[in-house]
Amino acid sequence: MWHISFDVKDTIVKKEKIVVSLKVLMNTSRESEEISRAKDVKAMIHRAVEKGGSSYNHLMALVEEFKCHVFGNSEE
């Protein structure tokens, strides 16, 4: 996963090395959180548009409403 390391020969780790390593670590963590959130949103979207999902049901209700107004009948 993370390939951040320091040479064993270094007896003192310089501040700059620590700062760079922490920034890389923080960005990696933030990116994986964003990827995880994107996957969650993707799953929610798929559930909403599949048959029985909220978006699917709302679209079907709209279609039925149009049918009622255009053809003058209702399946209620």
Side-chain angles (χ1 to χ4, degrees):
M1 292 244 164
W2 298 318
H3 301 287
I4 302 169
S5 62
F6 300 106
D7 292 335
V8 178
K9 294 181 261 179
D10 293 341
T11 54
I12 298 176
V13 178
K14 294 184 180 181
K15 174 184 169 184
E16 293 78 19
K17 248 186 175 179
I18 294 173
V19 169
V20 167
S21 296
L22 284 174
K23 284 182 180 179
V24 168
L25 180 62
M26 289 171 57
N27 284 336
T28 302
S29 175
R30 187 176 304 126
E31 288 172 6
S32 55
E33 287 174 15
E34 291 170 1
I35 290 170
S36 175
R37 178 68 181 137
K39 287 180 181 179
D40 291 344
V41 170
K42 177 183 175 183
M44 289 187 325
I45 291 169
H46 281 288
R47 284 192 306 271
V49 298
E50 67 187 9
K51 189 171 185 175
S54 60
S55 293
Y56 178 90
N57 290 340
H58 288 127
L59 180 59
M60 292 298 103
L62 179 63
V63 168
E64 290 302 319
E65 187 72 23
F66 282 144
K67 282 182 182 178
C68 182
H69 288 289
V70 171
F71 300 115
N73 61 6
S74 157
E75 294 183 17
E76 297 177 324

Coordinates of all heavy atoms in Angstrom, one line a residue:
M1 N 0.8 -1.2 0.0 CA 0.0 0.0 0.0 C 0.9 1.3 0.0 O 1.1 1.9 -1.0 CB -0.9 0.0 1.2 CG -2.0 -1.0 1.2 SD -3.5 -0.1 1.2 CE -4.6 -1.4 0.8
W2 N 1.3 1.6 1.2 CA 2.1 2.8 1.3 C 3.6 2.4 1.2 O 4.0 1.5 1.9 CB 1.9 3.6 2.6 CG 0.5 4.0 2.7 CD1 -0.3 4.6 1.7 CD2 -0.4 4.0 3.9 NE1 -1.5 4.9 2.2 CE2 -1.6 4.5 3.5 CE3 -0.2 3.5 5.2 CZ2 -2.7 4.6 4.4 CZ3 -1.2 3.6 6.0 CH2 -2.4 4.2 5.7
H3 N 4.3 3.1 0.4 CA 5.8 2.8 0.3 C 6.6 4.0 0.8 O 7.4 4.5 0.0 CB 6.1 2.4 -1.2 CG 5.3 1.3 -1.6 ND1 5.6 0.0 -1.2 CD2 4.2 1.2 -2.5 CE1 4.7 -0.8 -1.8 NE2 3.9 -0.1 -2.5
I4 N 6.3 4.4 2.0 CA 7.0 5.5 2.6 C 8.0 4.9 3.6 O 7.6 4.2 4.4 CB 6.1 6.5 3.3 CG1 5.0 7.0 2.3 CG2 6.9 7.6 3.9 CD1 3.9 7.8 3.0
S5 N 9.3 5.2 3.4 CA 10.2 4.7 4.3 C 11.4 5.7 4.4 O 11.6 6.6 3.7 CB 10.7 3.3 3.9 OG 11.4 3.5 2.6
F6 N 12.2 5.4 5.5 CA 13.4 6.2 5.7 C 14.6 5.2 5.6 O 14.5 4.1 6.0 CB 13.4 6.9 7.0 CG 12.2 7.9 7.2 CD1 11.1 7.5 8.0 CD2 12.2 9.1 6.5 CE1 10.0 8.4 8.1 CE2 11.1 9.9 6.6 CZ 10.0 9.6 7.4
D7 N 15.7 5.7 5.2 CA 16.9 4.9 5.2 C 17.3 4.6 6.6 O 17.2 5.5 7.5 CB 18.1 5.6 4.5 CG 17.9 5.8 3.0 OD1 17.1 5.0 2.5 OD2 18.5 6.7 2.5
V8 N 17.7 3.4 6.9 CA 18.1 3.0 8.2 C 19.4 3.7 8.6 O 19.6 3.9 9.8 CB 18.3 1.4 8.3 CG1 18.8 1.0 9.6 CG2 17.1 0.7 7.8
K9 N 20.2 4.1 7.6 CA 21.4 4.8 7.9 C 21.2 6.2 8.6 O 22.0 6.7 9.3 CB 22.2 5.0 6.7 CG 22.7 3.7 6.1 CD 23.5 3.9 4.8 CE 22.6 3.7 3.7 NZ 23.2 3.9 2.4
D10 N 20.0 6.8 8.3 CA 19.7 8.1 8.8 C 19.5 8.0 10.3 O 18.7 7.2 10.8 CB 18.4 8.7 8.2 CG 18.5 9.0 6.8 OD1 19.7 9.1 6.3 OD2 17.5 9.1 6.1
T11 N 20.3 8.7 11.1 CA 20.2 8.7 12.5 C 19.2 9.8 12.9 O 18.5 9.7 13.9 CB 21.5 8.9 13.2 OG1 22.1 10.1 12.7 CG2 22.4 7.7 13.0
I12 N 19.1 10.9 12.2 CA 18.2 12.0 12.4 C 17.4 12.1 11.1 O 17.9 12.3 10.1 CB 18.9 13.3 12.7 CG1 19.8 13.1 14.0 CG2 18.0 14.4 12.9 CD1 20.6 14.3 14.3
V13 N 16.1 12.1 11.3 CA 15.2 12.3 10.2 C 14.9 13.8 10.2 O 14.4 14.4 11.1 CB 13.9 11.5 10.4 CG1 12.9 11.7 9.2 CG2 14.2 10.0 10.5
K14 N 15.1 14.4 9.0 CA 14.9 15.8 8.9 C 13.4 16.1 8.8 O 12.6 15.3 8.4 CB 15.6 16.3 7.6 CG 17.1 16.2 7.7 CD 17.7 16.8 6.5 CE 19.3 16.7 6.6 NZ 19.9 17.3 5.5
K15 N 13.1 17.3 9.3 CA 11.7 17.8 9.3 C 11.1 17.7 7.9 O 9.9 17.3 7.8 CB 11.7 19.2 9.8 CG 10.4 19.9 9.8 CD 10.5 21.4 10.2 CE 9.2 22.1 9.9 NZ 9.3 23.5 10.2
E16 N 11.8 18.1 6.9 CA 11.3 18.1 5.6 C 10.8 16.7 5.1 O 9.8 16.5 4.5 CB 12.3 18.6 4.6 CG 12.7 20.1 4.7 CD 13.6 20.4 5.9 OE1 14.3 19.4 6.4 OE2 13.7 21.5 6.4
K17 N 11.6 15.7 5.5 CA 11.2 14.3 5.2 C 9.9 13.9 5.8 O 9.1 13.2 5.3 CB 12.4 13.3 5.5 CG 13.1 12.7 4.4 CD 14.1 11.7 4.9 CE 14.6 11.0 3.7 NZ 15.6 9.9 4.0
I18 N 9.8 14.3 7.1 CA 8.6 14.0 7.9 C 7.4 14.7 7.3 O 6.3 14.1 7.1 CB 8.8 14.3 9.3 CG1 9.8 13.4 10.0 CG2 7.4 14.2 10.1 CD1 10.2 13.8 11.4
V19 N 7.6 16.0 6.9 CA 6.5 16.8 6.4 C 6.0 16.2 5.0 O 4.8 16.0 4.8 CB 6.9 18.2 6.2 CG1 5.9 19.0 5.3 CG2 7.1 18.9 7.5
V20 N 6.9 15.8 4.2 CA 6.6 15.2 2.9 C 5.9 13.9 3.1 O 4.9 13.6 2.4 CB 7.9 15.1 2.0 CG1 7.6 14.2 0.8 CG2 8.4 16.4 1.6
S21 N 6.4 13.1 4.0 CA 5.8 11.8 4.2 C 4.4 11.9 4.8 O 3.4 11.2 4.4 CB 6.6 11.0 5.2 OG 7.9 10.7 4.6
L22 N 4.2 12.9 5.7 CA 2.8 13.1 6.3 C 1.9 13.6 5.2 O 0.7 13.2 5.2 CB 2.9 14.0 7.4 CG 3.5 13.5 8.7 CD1 3.6 14.5 9.8 CD2 2.6 12.4 9.2
K23 N 2.3 14.5 4.3 CA 1.5 15.0 3.3 C 1.0 13.9 2.3 O -0.1 13.8 1.9 CB 2.2 16.1 2.5 CG 2.2 17.4 3.3 CD 2.8 18.5 2.4 CE 2.9 19.8 3.3 NZ 3.5 20.9 2.5
V24 N 2.0 13.0 2.0 CA 1.6 11.9 1.1 C 0.6 11.0 1.8 O -0.4 10.5 1.2 CB 2.9 11.1 0.7 CG1 2.6 9.8 0.1 CG2 3.8 11.9 -0.2
L25 N 0.9 10.7 3.1 CA 0.0 9.8 3.8 C -1.4 10.4 3.9 O -2.4 9.8 3.7 CB 0.5 9.6 5.2 CG -0.3 8.7 6.2 CD1 -0.4 7.3 5.6 CD2 0.4 8.7 7.5
M26 N -1.5 11.7 4.2 CA -2.8 12.4 4.4 C -3.5 12.4 3.0 O -4.7 12.2 3.0 CB -2.6 13.8 4.9 CG -2.2 13.8 6.4 SD -1.7 15.4 7.0 CE -3.1 16.4 6.7
N27 N -2.8 12.7 1.9 CA -3.5 12.7 0.6 C -4.0 11.3 0.3 O -5.1 11.2 -0.3 CB -2.5 13.2 -0.4 CG -2.4 14.8 -0.4 OD1 -3.3 15.4 0.2 ND2 -1.3 15.3 -0.9
T28 N -3.2 10.3 0.6 CA -3.6 8.9 0.2 C -4.9 8.6 1.0 O -5.8 8.0 0.5 CB -2.5 7.9 0.6 OG1 -1.3 8.3 -0.2 CG2 -2.9 6.5 0.3
S29 N -4.9 8.9 2.3 CA -6.1 8.7 3.1 C -7.3 9.4 2.6 O -8.4 8.8 2.5 CB -5.8 9.1 4.6 OG -6.9 8.9 5.4
R30 N -7.1 10.6 2.2 CA -8.2 11.5 1.8 C -8.8 10.9 0.4 O -9.9 10.8 0.2 CB -7.8 12.9 1.5 CG -9.0 13.8 1.2 CD -8.6 15.3 1.1 NE -7.9 15.8 2.3 CZ -6.7 16.4 2.3 NH1 -6.1 16.5 1.2 NH2 -6.2 16.8 3.5
E31 N -7.8 10.4 -0.4 CA -8.2 9.9 -1.7 C -9.0 8.6 -1.5 O -10.0 8.3 -2.2 CB -7.0 9.6 -2.6 CG -6.4 10.9 -3.2 CD -5.1 10.6 -3.9 OE1 -4.7 9.4 -4.0 OE2 -4.4 11.6 -4.3
S32 N -8.6 7.7 -0.6 CA -9.3 6.5 -0.4 C -10.7 6.7 0.3 O -11.6 6.0 0.0 CB -8.5 5.5 0.5 OG -8.1 6.1 1.7
E33 N -10.8 7.8 1.1 CA -12.1 8.2 1.7 C -13.0 8.6 0.5 O -14.2 8.3 0.5 CB -11.9 9.3 2.7 CG -11.3 8.8 4.0 CD -11.1 10.0 5.0 OE1 -11.6 11.1 4.8 OE2 -10.3 9.7 5.9
E34 N -12.5 9.4 -0.4 CA -13.3 9.9 -1.5 C -13.7 8.8 -2.4 O -14.8 8.7 -2.9 CB -12.5 10.9 -2.3 CG -12.3 12.2 -1.6 CD -11.3 13.2 -2.2 OE1 -10.8 12.9 -3.3 OE2 -11.1 14.3 -1.7
I35 N -12.8 7.8 -2.6 CA -13.2 6.6 -3.5 C -14.2 5.8 -2.8 O -15.2 5.4 -3.4 CB -11.9 5.8 -3.8 CG1 -11.0 6.5 -4.7 CG2 -12.3 4.4 -4.3 CD1 -9.6 5.9 -4.9
S36 N -14.1 5.6 -1.5 CA -15.1 4.9 -0.7 C -16.5 5.6 -0.8 O -17.5 5.0 -1.0 CB -14.7 4.8 0.7 OG -15.7 4.1 1.5
R37 N -16.5 6.9 -0.6 CA -17.7 7.7 -0.7 C -18.3 7.6 -2.1 O -19.5 7.5 -2.3 CB -17.4 9.2 -0.3 CG -18.6 10.1 -0.4 CD -19.7 9.7 0.7 NE -20.8 10.6 0.5 CZ -22.1 10.3 0.6 NH1 -22.4 9.0 0.9 NH2 -23.0 11.1 0.4
A38 N -17.5 7.7 -3.1 CA -18.0 7.6 -4.5 C -18.6 6.2 -4.8 O -19.7 6.1 -5.4 CB -16.8 7.8 -5.5
K39 N -18.0 5.2 -4.2 CA -18.6 3.8 -4.4 C -20.0 3.8 -3.6 O -20.9 3.1 -4.1 CB -17.7 2.8 -3.8 CG -16.5 2.5 -4.7 CD -15.6 1.5 -4.2 CE -14.4 1.3 -5.1 NZ -13.4 0.2 -4.5
D40 N -20.1 4.4 -2.5 CA -21.4 4.4 -1.7 C -22.4 5.2 -2.5 O -23.6 4.7 -2.6 CB -21.2 5.1 -0.4 CG -20.4 4.3 0.6 OD1 -20.2 3.1 0.3 OD2 -19.9 4.9 1.6
V41 N -22.1 6.3 -3.1 CA -23.0 7.1 -3.9 C -23.4 6.3 -5.2 O -24.6 6.3 -5.5 CB -22.4 8.4 -4.3 CG1 -23.3 9.2 -5.3 CG2 -22.2 9.3 -3.1
K42 N -22.5 5.6 -5.8 CA -22.8 4.8 -7.0 C -23.8 3.7 -6.6 O -24.8 3.5 -7.3 CB -21.5 4.1 -7.5 CG -21.7 3.2 -8.6 CD -20.4 2.5 -9.0 CE -20.6 1.5 -10.1 NZ -19.4 0.8 -10.5
A43 N -23.6 3.1 -5.4 CA -24.6 2.0 -5.0 C -26.0 2.6 -4.8 O -27.0 2.0 -5.1 CB -24.1 1.3 -3.8
M44 N -26.0 3.8 -4.1 CA -27.3 4.5 -3.9 C -28.0 4.8 -5.2 O -29.2 4.6 -5.3 CB -27.1 5.8 -3.0 CG -26.7 5.5 -1.6 SD -26.6 6.9 -0.5 CE -26.1 8.3 -1.5
I45 N -27.2 5.3 -6.2 CA -27.8 5.6 -7.5 C -28.4 4.4 -8.1 O -29.5 4.4 -8.7 CB -26.8 6.3 -8.4 CG1 -26.5 7.7 -7.8 CG2 -27.3 6.4 -9.8 CD1 -25.3 8.4 -8.4
H46 N -27.6 3.3 -8.1 CA -28.1 2.1 -8.7 C -29.4 1.6 -8.0 O -30.3 1.2 -8.7 CB -27.1 1.0 -8.7 CG -26.0 1.1 -9.7 ND1 -26.2 0.9 -11.0 CD2 -24.7 1.5 -9.6 CE1 -25.1 1.1 -11.7 NE2 -24.2 1.5 -10.9
R47 N -29.5 1.7 -6.7 CA -30.7 1.3 -6.0 C -31.9 2.2 -6.4 O -33.0 1.7 -6.5 CB -30.5 1.3 -4.5 CG -29.7 0.1 -4.0 CD -29.7 0.0 -2.5 NE -29.3 1.2 -1.8 CZ -28.1 1.5 -1.4 NH1 -27.1 0.6 -1.7 NH2 -27.8 2.6 -0.8
A48 N -31.6 3.5 -6.6 CA -32.7 4.4 -6.9 C -33.3 4.2 -8.2 O -34.5 4.3 -8.4 CB -32.2 5.8 -6.7
V49 N -32.5 3.8 -9.2 CA -33.0 3.7 -10.6 C -33.4 2.3 -10.9 O -34.0 2.1 -12.0 CB -31.9 4.2 -11.6 CG1 -31.6 5.6 -11.4 CG2 -30.6 3.3 -11.6
E50 N -33.1 1.3 -10.1 CA -33.6 -0.1 -10.4 C -35.1 -0.2 -10.1 O -35.7 0.6 -9.4 CB -32.8 -1.1 -9.7 CG -33.0 -1.1 -8.2 CD -32.0 -2.1 -7.4 OE1 -31.1 -2.6 -8.1 OE2 -32.2 -2.3 -6.2
K51 N -35.7 -1.2 -10.6 CA -37.2 -1.4 -10.4 C -37.5 -1.4 -8.9 O -36.8 -2.2 -8.2 CB -37.6 -2.7 -11.1 CG -39.1 -2.8 -11.1 CD -39.6 -4.0 -12.0 CE -41.1 -4.0 -12.1 NZ -41.6 -5.0 -13.0
G52 N -38.4 -0.6 -8.5 CA -38.7 -0.5 -7.1 C -38.0 0.6 -6.3 O -38.3 0.9 -5.2
G53 N -37.0 1.2 -7.0 CA -36.2 2.3 -6.4 C -37.0 3.6 -6.5 O -37.9 3.7 -7.2
S54 N -36.5 4.6 -5.7 CA -37.3 5.8 -5.6 C -37.3 6.6 -6.9 O -38.4 7.0 -7.3 CB -36.6 6.7 -4.5 OG -35.3 7.0 -4.9
S55 N -36.2 6.7 -7.7 CA -36.3 7.4 -9.0 C -37.1 6.6 -10.0 O -37.9 7.2 -10.7 CB -34.9 7.5 -9.5 OG -34.1 8.4 -8.7
Y56 N -37.0 5.3 -10.0 CA -37.8 4.5 -10.9 C -39.3 4.7 -10.6 O -40.1 4.9 -11.5 CB -37.4 3.0 -10.7 CG -38.3 2.0 -11.5 CD1 -37.8 1.7 -12.8 CD2 -39.4 1.5 -11.0 CE1 -38.6 0.8 -13.6 CE2 -40.2 0.6 -11.8 CZ -39.7 0.3 -13.1 OH -40.5 -0.6 -13.9
N57 N -39.7 4.6 -9.3 CA -41.1 4.8 -8.9 C -41.6 6.2 -9.2 O -42.7 6.3 -9.7 CB -41.2 4.5 -7.4 CG -41.1 3.1 -7.1 OD1 -41.2 2.2 -7.9 ND2 -40.8 2.8 -5.8
H58 N -40.8 7.2 -9.0 CA -41.2 8.6 -9.4 C -41.4 8.7 -10.9 O -42.4 9.4 -11.4 CB -40.2 9.6 -8.9 CG -40.3 9.8 -7.4 ND1 -39.1 9.7 -6.6 CD2 -41.3 10.0 -6.5 CE1 -39.5 9.9 -5.4 NE2 -40.8 10.1 -5.3
L59 N -40.5 8.1 -11.7 CA -40.6 8.2 -13.1 C -41.9 7.5 -13.6 O -42.6 8.0 -14.4 CB -39.4 7.6 -13.8 CG -39.4 7.6 -15.3 CD1 -39.5 9.1 -15.9 CD2 -38.2 7.0 -15.9
M60 N -42.2 6.3 -13.0 CA -43.4 5.5 -13.4 C -44.6 6.3 -13.0 O -45.6 6.3 -13.8 CB -43.4 4.2 -12.7 CG -42.3 3.2 -13.3 SD -42.5 2.9 -15.0 CE -41.2 3.9 -15.8
A61 N -44.6 7.0 -11.9 CA -45.8 7.8 -11.5 C -46.0 9.0 -12.4 O -47.1 9.3 -12.8 CB -45.6 8.3 -10.0
L62 N -44.9 9.6 -12.9 CA -45.0 10.6 -13.9 C -45.6 10.1 -15.2 O -46.4 10.7 -15.8 CB -43.6 11.3 -14.1 CG -43.5 12.4 -15.1 CD1 -44.4 13.6 -14.7 CD2 -42.1 12.8 -15.4
V63 N -45.1 9.0 -15.6 CA -45.6 8.3 -16.9 C -47.1 8.1 -16.7 O -47.9 8.4 -17.7 CB -44.8 7.0 -17.2 CG1 -45.5 6.2 -18.3 CG2 -43.4 7.4 -17.6
E64 N -47.5 7.6 -15.6 CA -48.9 7.3 -15.4 C -49.7 8.6 -15.4 O -50.9 8.6 -15.9 CB -49.1 6.5 -14.0 CG -48.6 5.1 -14.1 CD -49.3 4.3 -15.1 OE1 -50.5 4.4 -15.4 OE2 -48.6 3.5 -15.8
E65 N -49.2 9.6 -14.8 CA -49.8 10.9 -14.8 C -50.0 11.4 -16.3 O -51.1 11.9 -16.6 CB -49.0 11.9 -14.0 CG -49.7 13.3 -13.8 CD -50.9 13.2 -12.8 OE1 -50.9 12.3 -12.0 OE2 -51.7 14.1 -12.9
F66 N -49.0 11.3 -17.1 CA -49.1 11.7 -18.5 C -50.2 10.9 -19.2 O -51.0 11.4 -20.0 CB -47.8 11.6 -19.2 CG -46.8 12.7 -18.9 CD1 -45.4 12.4 -18.8 CD2 -47.2 14.0 -18.8 CE1 -44.5 13.4 -18.6 CE2 -46.3 15.0 -18.5 CZ -44.9 14.7 -18.4
K67 N -50.2 9.6 -19.0 CA -51.1 8.7 -19.6 C -52.6 9.1 -19.2 O -53.4 9.2 -20.1 CB -51.0 7.2 -19.1 CG -49.9 6.5 -19.8 CD -49.9 5.1 -19.2 CE -48.8 4.2 -19.6 NZ -48.9 2.8 -19.0
C68 N -52.7 9.5 -18.0 CA -54.1 9.9 -17.5 C -54.5 11.2 -18.2 O -55.6 11.3 -18.7 CB -54.0 10.1 -16.0 SG -55.6 10.6 -15.3
H69 N -53.6 12.1 -18.4 CA -54.0 13.4 -19.1 C -54.1 13.2 -20.6 O -54.9 13.8 -21.2 CB -52.9 14.5 -18.7 CG -53.0 14.9 -17.3 ND1 -54.1 15.7 -16.9 CD2 -52.2 14.8 -16.3 CE1 -53.9 16.0 -15.6 NE2 -52.8 15.4 -15.2
V70 N -53.3 12.4 -21.2 CA -53.3 12.2 -22.6 C -54.5 11.3 -23.1 O -55.2 11.6 -24.0 CB -52.0 11.7 -23.2 CG1 -52.0 11.3 -24.6 CG2 -50.8 12.7 -22.9
F71 N -54.6 10.2 -22.4 CA -55.6 9.2 -22.8 C -56.9 9.3 -22.0 O -57.9 8.6 -22.4 CB -55.0 7.8 -22.7 CG -53.8 7.6 -23.6 CD1 -52.6 7.3 -23.0 CD2 -53.9 7.7 -25.0 CE1 -51.5 7.1 -23.8 CE2 -52.8 7.5 -25.8 CZ -51.6 7.2 -25.2
G72 N -56.9 10.1 -21.0 CA -58.1 10.3 -20.2 C -58.5 9.1 -19.4 O -59.7 9.0 -19.0
N73 N -57.6 8.2 -19.1 CA -57.9 7.1 -18.2 C -56.9 7.0 -17.1 O -55.8 7.5 -17.2 CB -58.1 5.8 -19.0 CG -56.8 5.4 -19.7 OD1 -55.7 6.0 -19.5 ND2 -56.8 4.3 -20.5
S74 N -57.2 6.2 -16.2 CA -56.3 6.0 -15.0 C -56.3 4.6 -14.6 O -57.4 3.9 -14.7 CB -56.8 6.9 -13.9 OG -56.4 6.5 -12.7
E75 N -55.2 4.1 -14.2 CA -55.1 2.7 -13.7 C -55.3 2.6 -12.2 O -54.9 1.6 -11.6 CB -53.8 2.1 -14.2 CG -53.7 2.0 -15.7 CD -52.4 1.3 -16.1 OE1 -51.7 0.6 -15.2 OE2 -52.0 1.4 -17.2
E76 N -55.8 3.6 -11.6 CA -56.0 3.6 -10.1 C -57.1 2.8 -9.7 O -58.1 2.6 -10.2 CB -56.2 5.1 -9.6 CG -55.0 5.9 -9.9 CD -55.2 7.3 -9.4 OE1 -56.3 7.9 -9.5 OE2 -54.2 7.9 -8.9

